[in-house]
């Protein structure tokens, strides 16, 4: 791999990326399959874990190959001669290389195998509502996460900063504490006012029986409507909905369907559709390269939360969606008006499950996890004490205490996958999605487009301003380029206040 | 890999097999996914083809590594010191190595990529009923198949013998011609008698609407009933049903579901269930090794055809199945009697689609393909002339001529996958399945078990006598060990005569 010239080095760099594609393809597919159709029998899981560990290790080995490291160093020494894309790729590769190369390959293999199994155990623990099944796995995962982050602290201060930095370049506890303080100061009084209001929201129809296969067909209709390309993707079922890029032209989304909670499938689908659209419409300049993905988790969530909420639960879009719903589910919705539907999907009600939470209380769920993660990573909270502390924080932030683990600390998939530091991205995404809307409104009448049967101008705008660049810019630089602003929770808070005061007829 | 001792050589051999498992896992999963959920957009297909070609090539490279060849030669030179399993593994590896090592890796890569694309093109050609789309692909596939077989002729005589030998060790055109002559001599007169009989079979209910999702649920019920283990497998949808071993504890089956042809899904599921059961219950001594698979395609088809027909379409089993069907599909089957159902699923009627053919005419469909393959491989029939010749042979054997390509030469998946020489295995499987029944009847009352709600004694018997050995014995040696007989179409012919004379009230 030793380069003889810069041209040679650049060619070798690109060849190296191309050579990894089949391994990444296999890795992504095995993971997607594991969460959708693959059998859960321990023997099947073990065989899958073996295969997945092999690919994770092979990618690890290729990535941390000293020759590749030398190649990156060579390119770094010529950084001023590289174009902007290559500069960014080299920067990102150096970052991840520094992170990986300090990890003992044995630890990496053990961790990869642990995650494959933890995924299944978490599902079982949740199903059986038995935290003790999952606890030893979580303990081990946290051990590895702390160990790996300690080996390569990229940010000063607490270890958790390094985890945040992995998802959101440059994000710190200090900045997030301020961000969440603003959200809390604006959301909590609004929530109290709503709880004291006399507004009655009709919701009897929300628990009616909607046939699974019809819901399934409708989910595809929604994906099509918002501009997700089913020809270059697929919709599958999984316990926890997710989006997976198998290859640049194969970006799949999943959902879950419950007969008596049609809303759950509907807005999960819109959420994952948002992620899917982002990955599907990555700009041609960066597609298929190292920059061919979302800029950061917050920017990704700004898309999923936009399609789920800002669009999905808007009155404007409900005017389009509800007649379609009514057409397909006539007996279930015949006696329901648009206004009743709109109010029902926006009912504010403190509840246990984050993914089913209303828009207003959602960020409070995130704050609970943020507090817990900080403490788990700092070592001031043990896994054994997690369920108790979870319940205490739910009481503090939302005034409710879950009675089961499934409704409590076993509800989310993230920790079973080692994703510590990810949760804040949801709240950041909420705030950022409204910063986009503010910018978008300068180019088009967002509300009018949302109420029309052609939503593609929204996707086109995102494509031009966000998707086109992939990972070319760090997230908060991208935000600034597009909106001329830094991270700012104000538009989001105003949006929540306007929307919910109107629904609940508050002053 | 150079062995220092026999013990060392054996260890290296096993390590080599273990090291291939993740690659095989990926290869099988990408293929399964490609035929079930993966998007069909040309860009997605190209990316998938790239990944699949990589894995095919990597397996090819590892397989044809001269060091591995030397290892096999070393083991061959100590063959008398090896146990029976190792002897067989070394024999099979030498066989496939000799076959592969003469192939130019570039040809192999081009062929692998061609097959991935041909799979999709065939589906499209079938859908659009346009043979010209598929013809150039088929031409190229046949070119490669002939080229590869010519490089390593394992059997004297026509090239097609070498292809037959790949699926059925030791099978030749000479033997098959005799086998098919017997079938033809016994089936054709019976078919004529049936066509002249006055028996009227009620079948109005066969085209009634059976909701897709209910059919889907029933397919799982059938799989469970016959003893397929859904915990170590999965049921998925594909254009052409198939069975795929992703890993030893993850054997999946697929089916297709049409609203107005509930029978199609039902017996496809039973057919693939038979394949699946075989792979799932491979004996523990050979499971996960090179011998951990079906002994040959004929033996595999003896299982699928047994579960589909000998069991599936028997009067005995219908007594179990029909009440379950009636329970789930009450409005559709309320006015149908068991006898009417039994007669309808066994109606003899010359038709175009092999997979939907009745038991009696099925082998005639195979004979058409057998004649065509012989001529295509011999070079006496061109791809351009294939549709015409297909139609002529259908006229000769079945007295009907398909009016579309989809009902004619585009109906089967096999050729798009390069599987020439496979079709005869279906007919062999039919005959062999009745040889098993003859042997089984010495140990248990097969008819009584079929009419009971517990079918597992059938699976147990197969497990003990067939599945236990995997590929340890060549197919016709296995047949002889279990039945004390060589290949013998007589029990099958008698079975057909007894069954259909009774249904059609012939003497």
């Amino acid at each position: 791999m030793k380069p003889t010239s810069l041209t040679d080095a650049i060619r070798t760099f690109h060849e190296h990326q191309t050579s990894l594609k089949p391994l990444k393809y296999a890795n992504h597919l095995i993971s997607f399959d594991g969460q959708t159709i693959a059998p859960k029998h321990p023997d099947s899981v073990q065989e899958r874990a073996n295969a997945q560990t092999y690919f994770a290790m092979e990618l690890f080995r290729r990535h941390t190959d000293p020759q590749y490291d030398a190649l990156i160093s060579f390119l770094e020494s010529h950084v001023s001669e590289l174009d902007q894309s290559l500069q960014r790729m080299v920067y990102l590769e150096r970052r991840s290389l520094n992170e990986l190369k300090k990890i003992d390959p044995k630890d990496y293999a053990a961790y990869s195998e642990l995650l494959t199994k933890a995924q299944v155990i978490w599902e079982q623990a949740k199903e059986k509502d038995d935290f003790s099944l999952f606890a030893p796995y979580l303990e081990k995962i946290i051990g590895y996460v702390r160990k790996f982050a300690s080996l390569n602290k990229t940010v000063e201060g607490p270890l958790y900063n390094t985890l945040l930095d992995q998802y959101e370049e440059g994000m710190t506890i200090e900045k997030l504490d301020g961000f969440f303080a603003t959200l809390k100061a604006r959301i909590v009084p609004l929530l109290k006012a709503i709880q004291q209001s006399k507004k009655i929201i009709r919701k009897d129809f929300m628990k009616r029986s909607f046939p699974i296969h019809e819901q399934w067909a409708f989910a595809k209709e929604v994906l099509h409507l918002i501009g997700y390309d089913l020809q270059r993707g697929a919709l599958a079922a999984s316990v926890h909905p997710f989006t997976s890029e198998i290859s640049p032209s194969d970006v799949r989304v999943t959902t879950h369907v419950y007969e008596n909670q049609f809303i759950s499938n509907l807005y999960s689908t819109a959420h994952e559709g948002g992620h899917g659209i982002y990955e599907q419409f990555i700009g041609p300049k960066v597609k298929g390269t190292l920059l061919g993905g979302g800029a950061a988790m917050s920017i990704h969530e700004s898309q999923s939360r936009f399609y789920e909420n800002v669009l999905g639960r808007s009155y404007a879009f409900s005017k389009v969606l509800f007649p379609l719903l009514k057409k397909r589910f006539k007996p279930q919705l015949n006696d329901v008006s648009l206004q009743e539907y709109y109010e029902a999907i926006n009912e504010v009600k403190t509840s246990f499950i984050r993914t089913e939470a209303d828009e207003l209380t959602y960020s409070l769920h995130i704050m609970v996890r943020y507090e817990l993660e900080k403490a788990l990573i700092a070592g001031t909270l043990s896994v054994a004490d997690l369920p108790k502390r979870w319940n205490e924080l739910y009481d503090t932030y939302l005034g409710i205490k879950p009675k089961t683990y499934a409704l409590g600390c076993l509800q989310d998939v993230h920790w079973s996958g080692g994703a510590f530091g990810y949760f804040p991205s949801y709240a950041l995404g909420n705030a950022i999605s409204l910063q986009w809307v503010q910018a978008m409104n300068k180019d088009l009448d967002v509300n009018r487009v949302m109420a029309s049967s052609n939503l593609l101008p929204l996707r086109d705008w995102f494509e031009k301003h966000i998707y086109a660049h992939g990972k070319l810019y760090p997230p908060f630089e991208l935000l600034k380029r597009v909106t001329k602003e830094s991270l700012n929770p104000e538009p989001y808070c105003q949006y929540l206040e306007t929307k919910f005061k109107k629904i609940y007829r508050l002053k």
Side-chain angles (χ1 to χ4, degrees), chain A:
Chain A
M1 238 192 252
K2 201 175 168 91
T4 55
S5 67
L6 182 56
T7 318
D8 181 47
I10 293 172
R11 207 195 49 243
T12 309
F13 177 77
H14 288 308
E15 281 171 3
H16 180 80
Q17 306 314 332
T18 304
S19 79
L20 298 182
K21 285 187 179 184
L23 304 176
K24 289 182 179 174
Y25 190 103
N27 204 28
H28 295 169
L29 184 61
I30 295 171
S31 172
F32 170 85
D33 179 72
Q35 291 173 76
T36 52
I37 188 177
K40 308 287 182 210
H41 190 281
D43 295 348
S44 327
V45 172
Q46 182 61 55
E47 288 159 0
R48 180 157 58 81
N50 293 346
Q52 195 145 33
T53 302
Y54 169 84
F55 289 106
M57 285 315 292
E58 192 60 18
L59 284 163
F60 178 85
R61 196 182 62 73
R62 303 255 201 126
H63 216 131
T64 56
D65 179 352
Q67 284 192 51
Y68 183 61
D69 199 321
L71 179 72
I72 297 296
S73 296
F74 180 87
L75 290 168
E76 281 179 304
S77 69
H78 290 78
V79 68
S80 60
E81 299 160 63
L82 305 178
D83 67 19
Q84 192 191 8
S85 296
L86 260 172
Q87 282 185 6
R88 179 73 177 155
M89 287 188 210
V90 167
Y91 170 78
L92 290 173
E93 282 300 84
R94 169 53 64 211
R95 218 178 112 102
S96 94
L97 242 161
N98 283 351
E99 202 183 308
L100 288 177
K101 73 186 191 185
K102 290 180 191 146
I103 299 175
D104 183 338
K106 279 183 197 153
D107 273 349
Y108 196 82
Y111 183 57
S112 165
E113 200 181 332
L114 174 66
L115 293 187
T116 307
K117 288 190 187 165
Q119 168 71 34
V120 178
I121 298 292
W122 163 72
E123 280 185 22
Q124 290 170 351
K126 187 176 166 179
E127 207 181 300
K128 294 180 184 163
D129 194 36
D130 184 352
F131 183 70
S132 72
L133 282 179
F134 182 54
Y137 288 83
L138 182 58
E139 194 122 33
K140 280 185 202 154
I141 290 171
I142 293 174
Y144 281 114
V145 168
R146 293 186 56 182
K147 187 171 181 181
F148 297 161
S150 304
L151 288 171
N152 186 47
K153 282 190 67 170
T154 54
V155 191
E156 293 294 301
L159 198 56
Y160 189 61
N161 276 349
T162 292
L163 299 177
L164 289 174
D165 189 47
Q166 283 172 8
Y167 296 103
E168 307 296 336
E169 256 176 286
M171 187 46 64
T172 60
I173 288 181
E174 203 186 343
K175 292 180 197 170
L176 267 182
D177 280 349
F179 172 77
F180 280 126
T182 304
L183 290 195
K184 198 177 168 188
R186 299 284 284 271
I187 291 172
V188 172
L190 181 55
L191 177 59
K192 287 213 170 125
I194 288 170
Q195 285 173 331
Q196 284 157 14
S197 89
K198 303 240 162 85
K199 169 75 185 165
I200 289 165
I201 288 182
R202 180 185 166 193
K203 55 193 181 189
D204 58 297
F205 57 90
M206 302 284 271
K207 297 273 169 201
R208 286 180 185 165
S209 167
F210 287 63
I212 300 262
H213 61 289
E214 291 285 353
Q215 283 198 53
W216 197 252
F218 196 74
K220 289 193 176 176
E221 213 174 320
V222 169
L223 285 174
H224 179 72
L225 199 63
I226 65 176
Y228 171 87
D229 182 357
L230 275 157
Q231 300 305 308
R232 295 170 191 245
L235 176 67
S238 65
V239 175
H240 189 94
F242 66 96
T243 299
S244 172
E245 188 220 37
I246 307 295
S247 66
S249 304
D250 182 357
V251 177
R252 308 184 186 176
V253 295
T254 73
T255 185
H256 49 202
V257 185
Y258 307 110
E259 197 170 329
N260 295 303
Q261 285 178 57
F262 78 102
I263 285 302
S264 176
N265 164 45
L266 195 53
Y267 294 95
S268 284
T269 300
H271 180 99
E272 299 306 329
H275 285 305
I277 287 169
Y278 191 174
E279 294 285 336
Q280 283 188 326
F281 292 87
I282 285 291
K285 278 192 192 159
V286 290
K287 188 173 173 168
T289 74
L290 274 182
L291 305 182
M297 292 310 164
S298 59
I299 311 298
H300 241 302
E301 292 298 334
S302 80
Q303 295 309 298
S304 53
R305 302 290 291 169
F306 174 87
Y307 280 102
E308 176 188 353
N309 290 327
V310 183
L311 170 75
R313 295 184 206 262
S314 67
Y315 188 76
F317 180 62
S318 297
K319 284 195 283 188
V320 179
L321 189 75
F322 188 61
L324 296 173
L325 256 176
K326 227 168 157 163
K327 196 171 154 193
R328 189 176 285 271
F329 301 101
K330 207 177 171 184
Q332 289 88 350
L333 297 173
N334 211 19
D335 62 340
V336 182
S337 73
L338 170 62
Q339 183 63 30
E340 285 169 331
Y341 174 74
Y342 173 67
E343 289 177 0
I345 60 169
N346 283 297
E347 192 203 12
V348 173
K349 191 171 188 298
T350 50
S351 66
F352 298 118
I353 300 292
R354 174 184 61 84
T355 56
E356 314 289 338
D358 60 81
E359 242 183 307
L360 186 70
T361 57
Y362 187 88
S363 295
L364 303 175
H365 291 259
I366 297 302
M367 290 180 214
V368 170
R369 287 151 181 81
Y370 173 61
E371 293 302 327
L372 291 167
E373 287 193 340
K374 280 198 289 188
L376 284 166
I377 297 303
T380 55
L381 173 65
S382 70
V383 167
D385 290 337
L386 172 63
K388 189 167 154 280
R389 185 78 188 119
W390 177 287
N391 292 3
E392 284 168 5
L393 284 169
Y394 259 80
D395 199 15
T396 307
Y397 280 89
L398 291 125
I400 52 176
K401 267 192 178 181
K403 289 229 168 55
T404 69
Y405 297 118
L407 288 175
C409 62
L410 281 180
Q411 69 181 268
D412 293 308
V413 70
H414 303 64
W415 293 341
S416 75
F420 283 84
Y422 185 124
F423 280 117
S425 302
Y426 290 104
L428 293 169
N430 282 339
I432 293 169
S433 69
L434 269 298
Q435 292 188 260
W436 300 139
V437 172
Q438 210 168 42
M440 203 190 271
N441 260 323
K442 291 174 190 153
D443 299 326
L444 47 103
D445 183 341
V446 176
N447 215 51
R448 207 172 58 85
V449 176
M450 283 183 175
S452 79
S453 58
N454 178 14
L455 298 171
L456 298 191
L458 304 174
R459 191 188 77 190
D460 293 345
W461 191 92
F462 284 131
E463 198 177 342
K464 184 177 166 194
H465 294 91
I466 305 173
Y467 308 166
H469 309 302
K471 293 179 193 293
L472 187 60
Y473 305 108
F476 298 102
E477 195 181 317
L478 177 67
L479 182 67
K480 195 145 203 170
R481 282 180 63 91
V482 180
T483 67
K484 319 289 176 219
E485 265 194 343
S486 302
L487 174 67
N488 176 13
E490 191 52 37
Y492 179 55
C493 292
Q494 280 176 17
Y495 157 82
L496 291 176
E497 285 160 355
T498 310
K499 176 171 180 174
F500 289 102
K501 280 183 179 174
K502 189 166 179 197
I503 292 174
Y504 281 92
R505 294 170 203 163
L506 304 171
K507 278 170 209 157

